Amino acid sequence: MIKEFREFIAKGNMLDLAIGIVIGAAFTTVINSFVKDIITPIIGLAGNSNFDDLQLEMKPGVHLMYGAFLTAVLNFVIVAFVLFLVVKAYNAMKRKQEVQTDTAAAPEIPNDEKLLTEIRDLLKAKG
């Protein structure tokens, strides 16, 4: 079991996952700052500039903090949109690479084979 665990950790997938988590955490910090420091004040020009303070008092001492929820939803939408753009760019690049590979992999037909094919097609048309 320990041997299997070592093999699992030694695979590149664990390193990829660790790097992805660290980059994701850093990306989340950037998005949170973007929403809090740039988007929220722009939206706040029309009213309240701090979503986190928006709340509804249900009864004394009990508050429904819907502003923090709005901020979290806005963060999610921005992260999802950026990831959508990244995946879209990756897929476009992959399709372009596949097209280049397909055209490069297609072997050139020699002239004598082309002529033989044309002769065959002409004979089929006559007969």
Side-chain angles (χ1 to χ4, degrees):
M1 188 162 156
I2 293 175
K3 181 181 176 187
E4 288 177 326
F5 182 68
R6 268 194 224 140
E7 289 174 3
F8 175 72
I9 288 180
K11 289 184 180 178
N13 296 344
M14 287 299 293
L15 182 60
D16 293 344
L17 180 62
I19 290 170
I21 289 172
V22 170
I23 289 175
F27 186 67
T28 300
T29 303
V30 170
I31 293 299
N32 286 337
S33 174
F34 178 71
V35 169
K36 188 172 190 134
D37 300 330
I38 295 174
I39 299 295
T40 302
I42 290 172
I43 295 173
L45 292 174
N48 191 357
S49 66
N50 189 354
F51 288 170
D52 290 338
D53 293 338
L54 297 176
Q55 58 184 332
L56 179 64
E57 186 172 0
M58 304 295 284
K59 66 179 188 177
V62 178
H63 300 278
L64 182 65
M65 306 293 291
Y66 69 92
F69 176 73
L70 289 176
T71 301
V73 169
L74 190 57
N75 287 348
F76 171 77
V77 169
I78 291 172
V79 169
F81 181 70
V82 169
L83 289 176
F84 166 75
L85 293 177
V86 168
V87 169
K88 185 175 178 174
Y90 173 78
N91 287 338
M93 181 182 66
K94 192 172 180 179
R95 279 191 297 272
K96 185 177 180 181
Q97 186 179 26
E98 286 174 356
V99 167
Q100 289 175 350
T101 303
D102 289 345
T103 56
E108 182 66 28
I109 299 173
N111 284 338
D112 57 347
E113 287 185 31
K114 287 180 186 177
L115 288 172
L116 289 171
T117 303
E118 289 177 17
I119 292 169
R120 181 198 64 203
D121 293 343
L122 287 171
L123 290 172
K124 278 185 183 179
K126 283 185 178 183

